[in-house]
Amino acid sequence: RSFASQTDGESRLVQVLREKFPQASAIKVVDISGGCGAMYEIHIESEEFREKRTVQQHQMVNQALSEEIKHMHGLRIFTSAPKP
């Protein structure tokens, strides 16, 4: 598949994350299981993460995706706050 097109799973996760993190300046979701939706890598840059420890940021993402995670084998999360 071309790099520009997203799988249905990627699109769905991006949509959920945009709703849960309205201040996000960047959201990137990549299916790293070859397109079958079993494992994803997520990168989110959001003001909501500022002043929070990494573990807290990841808990926020896990909570936002709690329903979707039930159908996955794994999830890699990378979070950050925008540079001031």
Side-chain angles (χ1 to χ4, degrees):
R1 68 188 175 101
S2 70
F3 186 72
S5 68
Q6 288 188 307
T7 65
D8 290 342
E10 290 168 344
S11 301
R12 193 177 66 251
L13 293 179
V14 168
Q15 188 178 354
V16 170
L17 292 167
R18 288 221 179 280
E19 289 170 17
K20 305 281 186 180
F21 298 99
Q23 298 177 32
S25 50
I27 295 178
K28 181 177 153 201
V29 176
V30 180
D31 185 334
I32 53 175
S33 60
C36 72
M39 184 132 179
Y40 289 93
E41 186 171 291
I42 295 175
H43 297 259
I44 305 176
E45 181 179 273
S46 179
E47 196 56 51
E48 288 135 303
F49 297 139
R50 192 169 307 286
E51 305 296 321
K52 290 189 170 49
R53 296 192 325 272
T54 303
V55 69
Q56 292 171 310
Q57 296 173 10
H58 289 201
Q59 286 169 340
M60 291 167 70
V61 174
N62 281 318
Q63 193 173 6
L65 296 175
S66 58
E67 278 305 306
E68 291 75 12
I69 286 173
K70 292 175 185 173
H71 309 287
M72 295 179 200
H73 292 291
L75 186 61
R76 265 194 227 153
I77 302 172
F78 299 90
T79 53
S80 61
K83 303 281 182 274

